[in-house]
Amino acid sequence: MGALVFFSDFDDFGTWKQALQSHLPTLRVLHWKEVDDPKSIDFALVWKPPEGFFREMTQIKLIVNLGAGVDTLVSRTDLPEGVPITRISDPQMARMMAGFVLFATLRHAREIPFFEQAQRSGQWAYRHPRNLEDIRVAVLGLGELGSRAANELQRQGLTVLGWSRNLRKIEGIQCYAGIETLDTVLSQADIVVVMLALTPKTRGLLNRERLLRLPQGAAFINVARGALVDQAALTELLDSGHIGSATLDAFEHEPLPKDDPLWRMPNVLITPHLASVAIPASAARQIAENLVRVANGETLASQIDPALGY
Ligand code: NDP
């Protein structure tokens, strides 16, 4: 079957090796430190390998990104030309993300940050719950993870708007597409959930001007990438109250620097980029199928388009 090299500082090599070999027993799965001859490598399963990693892998046939977002991979300069890149596309990963988005959205919809603050000062601060249908949630990005999350939110009774590059048709969701409709979507959002791919077109998309389109007091959730948002403007607008509260799982610089003002803002919940992760037991099958397909010259699943960046 050939040899696959593994690189990740976040994922367990032994678990992935076992999961892959349960589908492909003859696949040699090597930790990157075990590779003597890079020319003998046929496949790579990687999350943020160091610059130059692929340079001598002249026989490589497929690069699998160990995650959904491929932004750090496609922007590299050492990628072997013409070698296909696939991403992980795993229903369990989509479910984990949808769960996180549901939690974060309902937390804002049910005004939990307000009650947390009231509790800290010992106040019985009754606020009558709003009807969920009266709360509009804009999901920016309706890809594999975004569309699943949007569906879950809609199932809870929230009014869901979706925004993407190409117009999507999703039952029960008001879909919009293209940059010219973004302000319309933002201006209606009580809660905005960022689930876009980071590409040259979307980098810095949520700048100060666009964030100002959000209604006063709107909640902001980012589970995608920090660089989609002008973090300084977001911080300023959270401070002024224009943006009422935020749940942030992704940042311009990770880990978020210790002196970043976001850490100390009472209206901000920070999580260290873990809204969803790839799960070996469920994702290994799809990776194994793609290795077989590439070996047979067949069409791959979840192949990304380097020109588009996702
Ligand atoms: P997909 O690649 O499946 O979808 C990306 C979405 O972004 C699509 O809806 C796409 O539009 C949209 N998009 C891309 N470019 C533009 C543009 N110029 N204008 C408008 N919309 C655009 O990604 P996933 O849904 O699988 O994942 C989304 C992101 O979540 C990932 O890219 C990654 O950064 C992040 N992520 C974060 C994790 C975490 O733990 N925090 C874990 C996993 C992923 P269209 O539908 O028209 O193609």
Side-chain angles (χ1 to χ4, degrees):
M1 181 73 223
L4 175 142
V5 60
F6 176 93
F7 186 100
S8 170
D9 284 335
F10 295 88
D11 303 271
D12 183 59
F13 170 65
T15 312
W16 276 100
K17 181 175 177 172
Q18 199 179 26
L20 288 167
Q21 287 180 334
S22 74
H23 296 283
L24 299 171
T26 59
L27 179 71
R28 285 174 60 227
V29 181
L30 302 170
H31 190 271
W32 65 277
K33 286 183 183 160
E34 296 173 311
V35 177
D36 300 325
D37 178 13
K39 293 185 187 67
S40 68
I41 294 299
D42 301 285
F43 318 105
L45 173 60
V46 291
W47 180 248
K48 298 189 178 174
E51 196 57 39
F53 185 81
F54 299 107
R55 209 152 273 147
E56 291 175 50
M57 295 187 190
T58 49
Q59 300 304 311
I60 197 161
K61 299 169 192 70
L62 176 66
I63 299 172
V64 183
N65 183 59
L66 210 173
V70 293
D71 44 288
T72 53
L73 194 55
V74 292
S75 58
R76 300 170 64 102
T77 55
D78 62 342
L79 287 176
E81 211 161 310
V83 173
I85 299 175
T86 57
R87 50 162 282 186
I88 286 191
S89 157
D90 170 17
Q92 301 269 29
M93 191 179 194
R95 189 168 70 178
M96 190 187 277
M97 178 59 96
F100 188 94
V101 169
L102 194 56
F103 145 75
T105 306
L106 290 177
R107 183 171 171 271
H108 292 292
R110 295 301 309 266
E111 302 187 84
I112 300 301
F114 169 79
F115 297 115
E116 282 169 349
Q117 286 200 40
Q119 180 182 344
R120 278 194 281 274
S121 53
Q123 284 179 59
W124 184 270
Y126 187 85
R127 262 194 190 177
H128 202 69
R130 289 176 68 189
N131 260 343
L132 287 185
E133 305 90 85
D134 297 337
I135 300 178
R136 287 167 175 258
V137 186
V139 179
L140 309 184
L142 295 171
E144 290 210 16
L145 304 182
S147 56
R148 172 78 191 254
N151 277 321
E152 292 291 338
L153 296 170
Q154 193 264 338
R155 262 173 13 107
Q156 286 295 319
L158 290 144
T159 296
V160 182
L161 290 74
W163 185 77
S164 53
R165 194 170 62 88
N166 304 294
L167 189 60
R168 300 272 172 152
K169 231 179 150 190
I170 308 176
E171 208 186 318
I173 294 172
Q174 299 169 34
C175 291
Y176 296 79
I179 196 75
E180 61 286 358
T181 64
L182 183 55
D183 283 352
T184 308
V185 174
L186 291 174
S187 63
Q188 297 179 67
D190 298 302
I191 302 172
V192 60
V193 188
V194 183
M195 302 196 74
L196 291 162
L198 176 63
T199 72
K201 288 247 164 63
T202 60
R203 184 173 288 273
L205 184 78
L206 295 162
N207 57 21
R208 190 170 197 284
E209 201 187 332
R210 294 219 172 86
L211 292 174
L212 278 168
R213 300 280 175 204
L214 290 166
Q216 175 78 25
F220 187 88
I221 300 169
N222 186 1
V223 289
R225 290 289 183 267
L228 293 160
V229 188
D230 177 343
Q231 195 170 299
L234 174 67
T235 306
E236 184 201 316
L237 295 174
L238 277 161
D239 193 40
S240 73
H242 181 80
I243 297 181
S245 53
T247 300
L248 305 175
D249 187 56
F251 303 87
E252 265 173 17
H253 301 288
E254 295 180 4
L256 183 65
K258 278 207 164 15
D259 59 352
D260 195 290
L262 285 170
W263 283 115
R264 289 176 298 284
M265 296 183 112
N267 50 349
V268 177
L269 174 64
I270 291 172
T271 52
H273 202 136
L274 42 63
S276 183
V277 294
I279 299 160
S282 57
R285 173 190 293 275
Q286 186 220 46
I287 298 172
E289 283 170 1
N290 265 342
L291 300 192
V292 173
R293 284 186 188 147
V294 85
N296 294 338
E298 291 163 10
T299 309
L300 299 170
S302 306
Q303 185 168 355
I304 62 107
D305 179 347
L308 284 175
Y310 72 104

